[in-house]
Amino acid sequence: MMEEIILKYLREEATEIEKAQLAEWLRQQEANRQQFMQLRDLWLAATPIPHAGPDYAEQAFQRFMQATKKLESKGLKNASSGLYR
C-alpha cells in the first residue's frame, strides 16, 4: 500500500491526504525513510529529468517535507494518524 502512495507522490499524483500519510510513515522509523529513498532513487534513475542538477532529489524531498508540515498545521495530520502503525 505505501509503495503505491510513494509512486503516486513521485508522479505528482498523490492527494493531500496521501501526502500526509506518507509524511507520517516517514517520521515513524528510519527503515521507512530508507525504503522511500530506495524507491525514489529507482524512480529517478528510470525517469528522465530535464535540467535536473545533482541536488534535485534532496531538494524535492525537502519541498515534500515542507509541504507536509503545512498540511499538518492545517489539521490534516489527524486524517492519517495511526494508519500505518
Side-chain angles (χ1 to χ4, degrees), residues 14-26:
T15 65
E16 297 302 313
I17 290 174
E18 288 169 331
K19 290 175 186 178
Q21 291 171 342
L22 178 57
E24 176 67 24
W25 180 79
L26 288 169

Side-chain angles (χ1 to χ4, degrees), residues 52-80:
D55 296 327
Y56 175 81
E58 182 61 32
Q59 291 170 358
F61 182 72
Q62 292 303 319
R63 284 191 305 272
F64 166 75
M65 292 307 292
Q66 290 172 353
T68 55
K69 285 180 184 178
K70 284 183 185 178
L71 291 174
E72 288 174 354
S73 69
K74 293 179 182 178
L76 290 179
K77 180 179 180 181
N78 294 335
S80 65

Side-chain angles (χ1 to χ4, degrees), residues 37-56:
M37 289 187 284
Q38 288 174 342
L39 287 170
R40 178 203 63 199
D41 291 348
L42 286 171
W43 185 82
L44 289 173
T47 305
I49 302 173
H51 310 292
D55 296 327
Y56 175 81

